[in-house]
Amino acid sequence: MPSRIPAFDLAKQGIDTGAADLHWNMTTSPLVEASLQRGEGRLAKDGPLVVETGKHTGRSANDKFIVRDSETEDTVWWGKVNVPMTPEHFAALKEDFLSELAKKDKLFVQDLFGGSQPDHRVRVRVINELAWHNLFIRTLLCRPEDGELAGFEPEYTIIDLPSFQADPERHGTRSETVVAVNLSEKLILIGGTKYAGEMKKSVFGILNYKLPADGIMPMHCSANISPEGDTAIFFGLSGTGKTTLSADASRTLIGDDEHGWSDTAVFNFEGGCYAKMIRLSEEAEPEIYATTRRFGTVLENVVMDDESRELDFDDSTLAENSRGAYPIDFIPNSSEENLGPVPKNVIMLTADAFGVLPPISRLTPDQAMYHFLSGYTAKVAGTEIGVTEPQATFSTCFGAPFMPRHPSVYGNLLKSRIAKGGVKCWLVNTGWTGGKYGEGNRMPIKATRALLNAALDGSLNNAEFRTDPNFGFEVPVSVEGVDDAILDPRSTWADPEAYDEMAAKLVGLFIENFTEFEQHVDQGVIEAAPTPA
């Protein structure tokens, strides 16, 4: 059997691990066993590993930094999302990280690929103090063949030490938690958090920085393929249905979260999926639900009965953001190659809690770029005391926290690829109809699927369309199998004037948000903006 320990070891990287027992490229079963032996998790009734992440149940967005130096000074879009760290602070952080690393008695190392298309992937080495973190990242990234490991030489390295406590004064951090990215040294240091998703998103950030220079479009999206071989990609923020709608039994899944769009393919950055588990039901999402009954799945912050080991997906005691990580081949109809042809359809998903947007709209290339840069969805009321109205969320490129470069870089790449391929673009609202959140109802999933199917099989292009008076995009008047009334949001409101008032408010929010992009786009995109009444 080929060696799973590469010749280019940690010592050759200048990383001293002291007397630590190094476990190289362990597979699923040994990593699960190690996690159990070390008390890091427990097995549920049907085999998945159940773990808790403590106080960090999601990304620590305010604790992420990028080193500002000659490499990044003019290439990173500095601001609220991409916050700088000085080279001096990073040097101190690195020194303390390596010192802490050398004190560990056991470490777990994985050599993996970010990206499934060989020409455009990166080689990533991940060093963990927790066995379940090592299992998580092995599940989520692309796994080399056994024969590729002996000669593996990493381009980027991630050191993940949840036990490390950053010192704001010495390290220039905001708190004891830190995610520090040095693109010059190709080194990422993660400390003070057990939330494993930080590793996954760090690799996404690397690819989002690296690939545009090669003309590759990196995307926060899911993707699948029809039986006829037509690829569709689904952009969307958390809670809009990106994972749910791409896990369609009638289509082949490429991936649920991160992809690249090259001249020849849409390729998954990952070898696994990371799905929300809260209120998961077998009826609504059978493919995802089935993964929670398999050995090899890692469930984060899912509540489990101590005696029966039964899972309760409706219990949010540990986290609203409970998650499941599983290999992509746990989805029965997933792509063996983790890639597919360039897309024929681009879907932008939004959960509009204002109840204003139609369930589906057809976009021009300029409108597609406008809505891509806007990255709109809405949070529902009631998440904070005294908040009674929906809260608009704009996350440029449907993934602002992971985009190091200026949004116009990604927007122009998308627009050029749409134009080059004659791609059809659609905006799909999976949010509310008949009123805002609290008054209307959630868009029926059956209607959403029927409209998506019509868009993806091409039949929707033959429908009669009207022009939306607020947003200017085309909306079908009638679609077989869908109630006509739902296609006209205004008609579903008991008080049409209240709809007009809410629509005017949402239009204003779009216009206000887009001001920061106006000087970076051409006139056609500016004219694709919604029109105030």
Side-chain angles (χ1 to χ4, degrees):
M1 177 178 287
S3 174
R4 302 185 67 81
I5 303 176
F8 193 87
D9 59 14
L10 295 178
K12 288 186 173 64
Q13 291 184 257
I15 297 176
D16 178 11
T17 56
D21 184 11
L22 298 181
H23 294 266
W24 284 92
N25 295 309
M26 292 173 72
T27 55
T28 298
S29 294
L31 282 170
V32 171
E33 186 175 20
S35 302
L36 296 173
Q37 288 174 344
R38 292 158 57 88
E40 296 175 3
R42 299 174 295 162
L43 282 185
K45 177 184 174 183
D46 297 305
L49 180 68
V50 181
V51 298
E52 296 181 15
T53 64
K55 67 177 182 178
H56 292 284
T57 59
R59 290 183 307 102
S60 298
N62 295 327
D63 294 306
K64 178 189 169 190
F65 304 89
I66 298 176
V67 176
R68 190 168 191 162
D69 57 17
S70 58
E71 162 72 27
T72 58
E73 177 66 42
D74 299 321
T75 53
V76 168
W77 186 44
W78 302 107
K80 291 183 295 183
V81 171
N82 297 309
V83 179
M85 173 179 277
T86 67
E88 292 76 19
H89 277 138
F90 185 85
L93 183 69
K94 178 182 175 181
E95 178 184 347
D96 293 348
F97 248 81
L98 294 180
S99 175
E100 193 68 24
L101 194 71
K103 298 176 185 176
K104 301 299 177 186
D105 60 357
K106 187 172 291 190
L107 292 168
F108 301 87
V109 188
Q110 287 286 338
D111 291 323
L112 301 159
F113 295 126
S116 57
Q117 190 170 23
D119 292 344
H120 306 300
R121 67 192 183 192
V122 294
R123 301 182 304 277
V124 182
R125 174 166 289 168
V126 186
I127 306 169
N128 298 111
E129 65 174 317
L130 296 178
W132 84 259
H133 270 203
N134 206 238
L135 172 61
F136 173 94
I137 200 62
R138 182 180 188 274
T139 301
L140 265 296
L141 295 188
C142 298
R143 297 164 288 281
E145 299 292 333
D146 288 351
E148 296 177 295
L149 290 172
F152 192 97
E153 186 171 333
E155 296 172 80
Y156 292 84
T157 300
I158 297 173
I159 304 176
D160 175 49
L161 300 178
S163 64
F164 183 90
Q165 303 289 294
D167 179 346
E169 185 174 346
R170 174 168 164 77
H171 303 133
T173 60
R174 187 187 66 92
S175 72
E176 62 191 24
T177 301
V178 63
V179 179
V181 180
N182 191 319
L183 291 166
S184 298
E185 294 189 26
K186 298 184 177 180
L187 177 64
I188 298 171
L189 305 175
I190 303 172
T193 174
K194 287 174 67 177
Y195 181 68
E198 297 285 12
M199 293 181 288
K200 158 191 159 70
K201 289 305 184 187
S202 293
V203 176
F204 189 32
I206 289 169
L207 289 161
N208 287 334
Y209 181 78
K210 177 180 169 63
L211 292 182
D214 300 325
I216 310 300
M217 174 67 188
M219 304 174 291
H220 187 213
C221 71
S222 57
N224 62 25
I225 315 169
S226 74
E228 294 73 36
D230 296 338
T231 298
I233 56 179
F234 301 77
F235 290 105
L237 300 172
S238 179
T240 58
K242 182 160 52 74
T243 298
T244 300
L245 293 171
S246 61
D248 184 332
S250 67
R251 299 174 66 88
T252 300
L253 180 69
I254 300 174
D256 79 326
D257 197 38
E258 303 169 6
H259 295 82
W261 182 349
S262 70
D263 289 337
T264 58
V266 168
F267 61 99
N268 195 351
F269 288 169
E270 303 181 303
C273 300
Y274 194 36
K276 278 199 167 190
M277 293 287 123
I278 193 68
R279 289 176 286 280
L280 179 69
S281 77
E282 187 172 16
E283 180 182 2
E285 301 174 78
E287 292 86 5
I288 297 173
Y289 188 87
T291 68
T292 69
R293 296 181 171 183
R294 292 194 61 171
F295 180 83
T297 291
V298 180
L299 298 177
E300 292 179 332
N301 302 315
V302 173
V303 173
M304 179 177 72
D305 184 90
D306 289 337
E307 295 300 323
S308 69
R309 301 298 175 98
E310 294 279 0
L311 302 169
D312 186 350
F313 297 109
D314 295 324
D315 190 334
S316 60
T317 302
L318 295 175
E320 182 71 21
N321 187 40
S322 57
R323 293 271 181 169
Y326 48 88
I328 193 169
D329 60 15
F330 278 17
I331 300 295
N333 55 324
S334 59
S335 164
E336 290 185 12
E337 298 81 14
N338 253 16
L339 52 79
V342 294
K344 291 195 174 182
N345 287 278
V346 168
I347 315 295
M348 298 184 189
L349 300 169
T350 181
D352 176 29
F354 291 85
V356 168
L357 294 178
I360 194 165
S361 312
R362 186 167 63 185
L363 308 177
T364 66
D366 283 329
Q367 288 171 336
M369 184 171 176
Y370 182 93
H371 285 278
F372 179 68
L373 290 176
S374 297
Y376 165 71
T377 192
K379 295 178 181 177
V380 299
T383 54
E384 297 176 19
I385 295 173
V387 176
T388 57
E389 292 291 318
Q391 302 291 302
T393 297
F394 293 95
S395 184
T396 182
C397 308
F398 294 98
F402 323 117
M403 304 294 176
R405 296 182 183 271
H406 192 278
S408 61
V409 171
Y410 308 105
N412 284 318
L413 268 172
L414 179 69
K415 185 179 175 183
S416 66
R417 290 205 170 274
I418 286 171
K420 183 178 179 180
V423 180
K424 294 288 188 293
C425 299
W426 310 87
L427 181 68
V428 172
N429 174 23
T430 61
W432 275 258
T433 181
K436 66 180 182 181
Y437 172 82
E439 297 176 7
N441 300 302
R442 193 74 192 253
M443 197 72 69
I445 185 69
K446 288 184 179 180
T448 299
R449 287 202 181 276
L451 292 168
L452 266 179
N453 289 340
L456 298 179
D457 69 18
S459 61
L460 191 55
N461 289 308
N462 301 320
E464 177 187 353
F465 286 82
R466 65 177 177 86
T467 300
D468 185 272
N470 297 298
F471 286 84
F473 40 48
E474 295 182 316
V475 181
V477 174
S478 180
V479 177
E480 186 177 352
V482 178
D483 182 1
D484 290 352
I486 207 172
L487 297 170
D488 181 4
R490 189 175 188 270
S491 71
T492 66
W493 282 52
D495 182 354
E497 291 184 358
Y499 170 87
D500 294 338
E501 182 179 339
M502 191 62 76
K505 177 179 179 179
L506 184 57
V507 165
L509 293 171
F510 265 89
I511 292 172
E512 179 185 1
N513 173 73
F514 204 78
T515 55
E516 65 177 314
F517 304 123
E518 288 179 348
Q519 61 181 337
H520 301 285
V521 299
D522 59 33
Q523 189 61 30
V525 177
I526 293 173
E527 292 173 358
T531 306

